[in-house]
Amino acid sequence: KNEEILRRQRNQIDFFNSILRHDMLNGLNIITGHSEILLSELDGDKKERMETIVKWTENITDLAEKTRDILDTLSDSGGSELRAVTVGTVLQNEVQEIEGIREGVSVEIDCPPEIRVLANGLFADVVRNLLMNAVEHTRPNPVNIHVSVEKENTNVLIVVEDDGPGVSYEMKQRIFKRGEKGD
């Protein structure tokens, strides 16, 4: 009975994934293309409104692609291709993004250049999320973040440290429960 439930759930994930992969992303690409054409023909207030449409369409496309990657990862369909990724390169790319978020953010990376992991597109999202949390939840300026990476047998350990207030004991007990949020 459990195997049948799992098979049905896997089929549902595959179905939603195919909708995202084909119909939704194709539609968003068409909207983006037409919006960019109109953007080049407009000026003033109408141009600003069209820029907002283009920006939000790109954001929704990115979200759909991330959702597709998550569904690929959760399903056994093999649609999510893992590839060797150099951890230091991903860290450098994400650090460039977050250092521009606000004044006074600096990130120091301690990562041997040869460390690689097998990952899909979600790896960069997870790294970005860790770094963003360090920036968002550390209020005094400057924000100093230290990222260290080390290999432990077949695992890679990435530690993100900041000079924020830390996480309370009570929050540590609930932090990984679904829907949990806090400072």
Side-chain angles (χ1 to χ4, degrees), residues 26-57:
N26 282 350
L28 287 167
N29 285 333
I30 290 169
I31 292 169
T32 300
H34 286 283
S35 297
E36 288 173 348
I37 290 169
L38 287 172
L39 183 62
S40 68
E41 298 172 359
L42 298 173
D43 55 15
D45 186 48
K46 290 181 181 180
K47 183 173 185 159
E48 286 180 27
R49 289 178 187 214
M50 188 55 67
E51 286 171 345
T52 300
I53 291 171
V54 168
K55 177 184 171 218
W56 277 99
T57 304

Short mmCIF file of all heavy atoms in Angstrom, two decimals, residues 26-57:
data_model
loop_
_atom_site.label_atom_id
_atom_site.label_comp_id
_atom_site.label_asym_id
_atom_site.label_seq_id
_atom_site.Cartn_x
_atom_site.Cartn_y
_atom_site.Cartn_z
N ASN A 26 7.51 27.96 -21.21
CA ASN A 26 7.31 28.44 -22.58
C ASN A 26 6.46 29.71 -22.58
O ASN A 26 6.78 30.68 -23.28
CB ASN A 26 6.66 27.38 -23.45
CG ASN A 26 7.64 26.32 -23.90
OD1 ASN A 26 8.85 26.46 -23.74
ND2 ASN A 26 7.11 25.26 -24.47
N GLY A 27 5.38 29.71 -21.80
CA GLY A 27 4.53 30.89 -21.71
C GLY A 27 5.27 32.09 -21.16
O GLY A 27 5.14 33.21 -21.68
N LEU A 28 6.06 31.87 -20.14
CA LEU A 28 6.84 32.97 -19.56
C LEU A 28 7.88 33.50 -20.55
O LEU A 28 8.13 34.71 -20.61
CB LEU A 28 7.50 32.53 -18.26
CG LEU A 28 6.54 32.37 -17.07
CD1 LEU A 28 7.22 31.63 -15.93
CD2 LEU A 28 6.02 33.70 -16.61
N ASN A 29 8.47 32.62 -21.32
CA ASN A 29 9.44 33.07 -22.34
C ASN A 29 8.77 33.92 -23.41
O ASN A 29 9.34 34.92 -23.87
CB ASN A 29 10.15 31.87 -22.97
CG ASN A 29 11.18 31.26 -22.05
OD1 ASN A 29 11.74 31.93 -21.19
ND2 ASN A 29 11.42 29.98 -22.21
N ILE A 30 7.56 33.57 -23.79
CA ILE A 30 6.83 34.37 -24.78
C ILE A 30 6.50 35.75 -24.20
O ILE A 30 6.69 36.77 -24.86
CB ILE A 30 5.55 33.63 -25.22
CG1 ILE A 30 5.94 32.41 -26.07
CG2 ILE A 30 4.61 34.55 -26.00
CD1 ILE A 30 4.78 31.45 -26.34
N ILE A 31 6.03 35.77 -22.95
CA ILE A 31 5.72 37.05 -22.29
C ILE A 31 6.98 37.92 -22.20
O ILE A 31 6.95 39.12 -22.50
CB ILE A 31 5.11 36.81 -20.88
CG1 ILE A 31 3.73 36.18 -21.00
CG2 ILE A 31 5.03 38.12 -20.10
CD1 ILE A 31 3.16 35.66 -19.69
N THR A 32 8.09 37.33 -21.80
CA THR A 32 9.35 38.07 -21.70
C THR A 32 9.77 38.64 -23.05
O THR A 32 10.13 39.82 -23.15
CB THR A 32 10.47 37.18 -21.13
OG1 THR A 32 10.09 36.71 -19.84
CG2 THR A 32 11.78 37.92 -21.03
N GLY A 33 9.71 37.83 -24.08
CA GLY A 33 10.11 38.28 -25.41
C GLY A 33 9.28 39.46 -25.90
O GLY A 33 9.82 40.47 -26.36
N HIS A 34 7.95 39.34 -25.79
CA HIS A 34 7.08 40.43 -26.24
C HIS A 34 7.25 41.68 -25.37
O HIS A 34 7.21 42.80 -25.89
CB HIS A 34 5.62 39.97 -26.25
CG HIS A 34 5.29 39.05 -27.38
ND1 HIS A 34 5.09 39.49 -28.67
CD2 HIS A 34 5.14 37.71 -27.42
CE1 HIS A 34 4.82 38.47 -29.45
NE2 HIS A 34 4.85 37.36 -28.71
N SER A 35 7.44 41.47 -24.07
CA SER A 35 7.63 42.61 -23.17
C SER A 35 8.90 43.38 -23.49
O SER A 35 8.92 44.61 -23.46
CB SER A 35 7.67 42.14 -21.71
OG SER A 35 6.45 41.54 -21.34
N GLU A 36 9.97 42.64 -23.81
CA GLU A 36 11.22 43.31 -24.15
C GLU A 36 11.11 44.08 -25.46
O GLU A 36 11.69 45.16 -25.60
CB GLU A 36 12.36 42.29 -24.20
CG GLU A 36 12.74 41.80 -22.81
CD GLU A 36 13.75 40.66 -22.81
OE1 GLU A 36 14.00 40.07 -23.89
OE2 GLU A 36 14.28 40.36 -21.73
N ILE A 37 10.34 43.56 -26.42
CA ILE A 37 10.11 44.29 -27.67
C ILE A 37 9.36 45.59 -27.38
O ILE A 37 9.75 46.67 -27.85
CB ILE A 37 9.34 43.42 -28.68
CG1 ILE A 37 10.24 42.28 -29.18
CG2 ILE A 37 8.83 44.27 -29.86
CD1 ILE A 37 9.49 41.21 -29.96
N LEU A 38 8.28 45.49 -26.59
CA LEU A 38 7.51 46.69 -26.25
C LEU A 38 8.35 47.68 -25.45
O LEU A 38 8.23 48.89 -25.65
CB LEU A 38 6.26 46.31 -25.45
CG LEU A 38 5.14 45.65 -26.23
CD1 LEU A 38 4.04 45.17 -25.29
CD2 LEU A 38 4.56 46.62 -27.26
N LEU A 39 9.20 47.17 -24.56
CA LEU A 39 10.05 48.03 -23.75
C LEU A 39 10.92 48.93 -24.61
O LEU A 39 11.09 50.11 -24.30
CB LEU A 39 10.92 47.16 -22.82
CG LEU A 39 11.83 47.88 -21.84
CD1 LEU A 39 11.00 48.72 -20.87
CD2 LEU A 39 12.65 46.86 -21.07
N SER A 40 11.43 48.39 -25.71
CA SER A 40 12.29 49.19 -26.58
C SER A 40 11.52 50.27 -27.34
O SER A 40 12.11 51.21 -27.85
CB SER A 40 13.03 48.28 -27.57
OG SER A 40 12.11 47.72 -28.49
N GLU A 41 10.20 50.14 -27.37
CA GLU A 41 9.39 51.10 -28.13
C GLU A 41 8.71 52.15 -27.24
O GLU A 41 8.07 53.06 -27.76
CB GLU A 41 8.30 50.35 -28.91
CG GLU A 41 8.87 49.38 -29.94
CD GLU A 41 7.80 48.51 -30.58
OE1 GLU A 41 6.61 48.65 -30.21
OE2 GLU A 41 8.15 47.69 -31.44
N LEU A 42 8.85 52.01 -25.92
CA LEU A 42 8.15 52.91 -25.00
C LEU A 42 9.11 53.88 -24.34
O LEU A 42 10.32 53.69 -24.34
CB LEU A 42 7.44 52.08 -23.92
CG LEU A 42 6.35 51.12 -24.42
CD1 LEU A 42 5.86 50.25 -23.27
CD2 LEU A 42 5.19 51.89 -25.03
N ASP A 43 8.51 54.94 -23.75
CA ASP A 43 9.30 55.86 -22.95
C ASP A 43 8.44 56.38 -21.80
O ASP A 43 7.26 56.11 -21.72
CB ASP A 43 9.86 57.02 -23.79
CG ASP A 43 8.78 57.77 -24.56
OD1 ASP A 43 7.58 57.61 -24.24
OD2 ASP A 43 9.14 58.53 -25.47
N GLY A 44 9.08 57.07 -20.90
CA GLY A 44 8.38 57.68 -19.77
C GLY A 44 7.77 56.67 -18.82
O GLY A 44 8.34 55.61 -18.54
N ASP A 45 6.57 57.02 -18.34
CA ASP A 45 5.86 56.20 -17.36
C ASP A 45 5.53 54.81 -17.90
O ASP A 45 5.64 53.82 -17.20
CB ASP A 45 4.58 56.92 -16.91
CG ASP A 45 3.87 56.19 -15.79
OD1 ASP A 45 4.55 55.82 -14.81
OD2 ASP A 45 2.64 55.98 -15.90
N LYS A 46 5.17 54.74 -19.18
CA LYS A 46 4.83 53.44 -19.77
C LYS A 46 6.06 52.54 -19.84
O LYS A 46 5.97 51.33 -19.63
CB LYS A 46 4.23 53.63 -21.16
CG LYS A 46 2.84 54.24 -21.10
CD LYS A 46 2.24 54.40 -22.48
CE LYS A 46 0.87 55.04 -22.34
NZ LYS A 46 0.22 55.24 -23.62
N LYS A 47 7.23 53.13 -20.11
CA LYS A 47 8.46 52.35 -20.14
C LYS A 47 8.78 51.80 -18.75
O LYS A 47 9.17 50.65 -18.61
CB LYS A 47 9.63 53.19 -20.66
CG LYS A 47 10.92 52.41 -20.78
CD LYS A 47 12.02 53.20 -21.44
CE LYS A 47 13.23 52.31 -21.63
NZ LYS A 47 14.13 52.79 -22.64
N GLU A 48 8.59 52.62 -17.72
CA GLU A 48 8.85 52.16 -16.35
C GLU A 48 7.92 51.01 -15.97
O GLU A 48 8.34 50.05 -15.34
CB GLU A 48 8.67 53.32 -15.36
CG GLU A 48 9.79 54.33 -15.40
CD GLU A 48 9.57 55.47 -14.42
OE1 GLU A 48 8.87 55.26 -13.39
OE2 GLU A 48 10.10 56.56 -14.68
N ARG A 49 6.66 51.11 -16.38
CA ARG A 49 5.71 50.03 -16.10
C ARG A 49 6.11 48.75 -16.83
O ARG A 49 6.03 47.66 -16.28
CB ARG A 49 4.30 50.44 -16.48
CG ARG A 49 3.73 51.49 -15.54
CD ARG A 49 2.35 51.90 -15.96
NE ARG A 49 1.90 53.02 -15.15
CZ ARG A 49 0.66 53.20 -14.78
NH1 ARG A 49 -0.26 52.36 -15.17
NH2 ARG A 49 0.34 54.23 -14.05
N MET A 50 6.55 48.89 -18.06
CA MET A 50 6.98 47.71 -18.83
C MET A 50 8.25 47.13 -18.24
O MET A 50 8.41 45.90 -18.21
CB MET A 50 7.17 48.07 -20.31
CG MET A 50 7.43 46.86 -21.18
SD MET A 50 6.17 45.53 -21.07
CE MET A 50 4.76 46.35 -21.78
N GLU A 51 9.17 47.95 -17.72
CA GLU A 51 10.36 47.45 -17.05
C GLU A 51 9.98 46.60 -15.84
O GLU A 51 10.60 45.56 -15.57
CB GLU A 51 11.28 48.61 -16.63
CG GLU A 51 12.01 49.25 -17.78
CD GLU A 51 12.74 50.54 -17.39
OE1 GLU A 51 12.46 51.10 -16.30
OE2 GLU A 51 13.58 50.99 -18.19
N THR A 52 8.95 47.04 -15.12
CA THR A 52 8.46 46.28 -13.97
C THR A 52 7.90 44.94 -14.42
O THR A 52 8.17 43.90 -13.80
CB THR A 52 7.37 47.07 -13.21
OG1 THR A 52 7.94 48.31 -12.76
CG2 THR A 52 6.84 46.29 -12.03
N ILE A 53 7.16 44.92 -15.53
CA ILE A 53 6.62 43.67 -16.05
C ILE A 53 7.75 42.72 -16.45
O ILE A 53 7.72 41.53 -16.12
CB ILE A 53 5.67 43.94 -17.25
CG1 ILE A 53 4.40 44.63 -16.76
CG2 ILE A 53 5.34 42.65 -18.01
CD1 ILE A 53 3.50 45.15 -17.86
N VAL A 54 8.76 43.24 -17.14
CA VAL A 54 9.90 42.41 -17.56
C VAL A 54 10.61 41.85 -16.34
O VAL A 54 10.93 40.65 -16.28
CB VAL A 54 10.87 43.20 -18.46
CG1 VAL A 54 12.18 42.46 -18.67
CG2 VAL A 54 10.22 43.53 -19.80
N LYS A 55 10.86 42.70 -15.35
CA LYS A 55 11.57 42.26 -14.14
C LYS A 55 10.79 41.15 -13.43
O LYS A 55 11.36 40.12 -13.06
CB LYS A 55 11.78 43.45 -13.20
CG LYS A 55 12.45 43.08 -11.89
CD LYS A 55 12.54 44.26 -10.96
CE LYS A 55 13.00 43.81 -9.61
NZ LYS A 55 12.37 44.50 -8.51
N TRP A 56 9.49 41.34 -13.24
CA TRP A 56 8.71 40.35 -12.53
C TRP A 56 8.54 39.07 -13.33
O TRP A 56 8.50 37.97 -12.77
CB TRP A 56 7.36 40.92 -12.10
CG TRP A 56 7.54 41.68 -10.81
CD1 TRP A 56 7.66 43.02 -10.66
CD2 TRP A 56 7.66 41.11 -9.51
NE1 TRP A 56 7.86 43.33 -9.33
CE2 TRP A 56 7.85 42.17 -8.60
CE3 TRP A 56 7.63 39.81 -9.02
CZ2 TRP A 56 8.00 41.96 -7.24
CZ3 TRP A 56 7.78 39.61 -7.66
CH2 TRP A 56 7.98 40.68 -6.79
N THR A 57 8.46 39.17 -14.64
CA THR A 57 8.40 37.97 -15.47
C THR A 57 9.68 37.17 -15.33
O THR A 57 9.66 35.94 -15.21
CB THR A 57 8.13 38.33 -16.94
OG1 THR A 57 6.94 39.11 -17.02
CG2 THR A 57 7.96 37.09 -17.79
#
